């Protein structure tokens, strides 16, 4: 079973909070509730609008998109406009 | 009696909740109330805007569109923009 | 006395509720208050925007448009965008 | 003294309620408070946007526009978009 | 000291209420509080958008624009879109 | 230390209230709280959108923009659209 | 670990309040809560929309964007439109 996002939407696998603070390098602050990291799993068909690719680690606006579970793992379908940055 | 959606609208047959959790593979989570699955029954005349086709299994924003019953079966008329992804 | 809708507006003759449930085939559900059927009586002059024609049986968003009575019969002036589907 | 509407505005002479129900042919219903009839007195300079002409009998959205009195007679300055239909 | 309006703005000298009702010809009605007459004193530099000229007597939406006093006389800076009609 | 406004923004030095009423020629009225005079100090890089130049005396919408102090003197960064007129 | 902003977004290192008032030259006033200074650390891929470059000292709308911490230092991801001026 595969989810194929439509248009400028992107399927993101949510990165768990534990991973995020490992090493103490990267901690959202007042934004603790606002940003979240994830891994791009699949991208929509509107290639012109989409500037991330599969396996990119990204930051997104946590309040954006729609949460779903795939095989028990939390995922998110977000629009490209709600992805803030790539973490390299 | 046939319903022909207009513009970028799509007629969707709602997939029952029982089917959705079968196999335990795919369960909307905090989004339990937000997303819903369905089967595309008919598409509108704005072919450029529509990127799904009849018999596609799709996820849509549950709060979108207008619910109708055809021969006692729940259907929905939604706009293309409210269809999030195709389930393959 | 004839009403000629302007722009992308359409004059619709409202189909009575009795007729709608006859045969039990087609019953709006949670949408009992939201959709309504009608017959297209006249269309506006913006032909490019209008994809229905006189005598089409249509579903429209009940809350849209402006209700008027012509010779005691309920009619509606709606914009094309508020017509959801053609019933064939 | 003449009023020349600007842009896509139209000067309408309001038709009195008595006239409207004469003959019992044409009575706004739930829309009793919403639509109103009038006669086009003058049109604005944006000829491309305007599809009515002087002396046309029209229906307009009663809540639209600005009411003025000319020689004691009620008139209205409305935008073209608030004129629903021509009554022929 | 001269005020030169910018863009599609227009400087209007407000016509006093006394003048307005003189002759009893022209009296705003329910709109007593909504429309106001004035004389165009200066126009902005966006000539394409402006279809009035200096010394035109106009009706404008009273709630629009910004009131200023020049040598003790009430003036208004309004946008072209808030000028309803020319009084000839 | 110099402030270079970006886009269609303009840096304005606020003219003190005392200066404004000198000579009694120019006094904002009901608009006492709404308009304010200033001198253009620097303009943004979007030259097409900007029709004022350095040292112009202008009127702006007092509620627009962001106030800053430069060497203790009150300045404002406003967008071009919030500048109403040039005072000549 | 590097953050690469997307689209017209910019990664800004927030300048501490102590630095800001040093020399007494530049003090936000009523805007004490509204503007903030920072250093551009990285810019997005939409080069046409972005008119600042790395190491520029800028003023931005404090309420805009999303705050994150990188190695314990406060940063902000803002859109170009929320950057008011360059401090030279």
């Amino acid at each position: 079973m595969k989810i194929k996002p439509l248009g400028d939407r992107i399927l993101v696998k949510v990165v768990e909070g534990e991973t995020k603070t490992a090493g103490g390098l990267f901690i959202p602050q007042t934004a603790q509730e606002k940003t979240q990291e994830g891994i791009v799993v699949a991208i929509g068909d509107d290639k012109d609008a989409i500037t991330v690719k599969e396996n990119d680690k990204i930051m997104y606006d946590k309040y954006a998109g729609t949460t779903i579970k795939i095989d028990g793992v939390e995922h998110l379908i977000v629009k490209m406009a709600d992805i803030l940055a790539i973490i390299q």
Side-chain angles (χ1 to χ4, degrees), chain A residues 37-67:
Chain A
E37 296 175 48
I39 304 291
V40 175
V41 172
I43 62 174
D45 48 283
D46 186 353
K47 305 300 187 204
D48 288 344
I50 297 180
T51 57
V52 295
K53 58 185 189 307
E54 289 184 28
N55 297 317
D56 276 354
K57 191 174 185 182
I58 57 160
M59 293 180 51
Y60 58 85
D61 181 345
K62 193 183 172 178
Y63 294 128
T66 305
T67 315

Side-chain angles (χ1 to χ4, degrees), chain A residues 3-11 41-46 77-78:
Chain A
I3 306 295
K4 189 183 145 219
L6 290 169
D8 63 344
R9 290 186 184 85
I10 286 152
L11 180 65
V41 172
I43 62 174
D45 48 283
D46 186 353
I77 298 177
V78 281

Side-chain angles (χ1 to χ4, degrees), chain A residues 20 28-36 60-64:
Chain A
K20 203 165 51 185
Q29 182 207 40
T30 64
Q32 189 88 40
E33 274 75 43
K34 285 194 199 144
T35 65
Q36 189 113 15
Y60 58 85
D61 181 345
K62 193 183 172 178
Y63 294 128

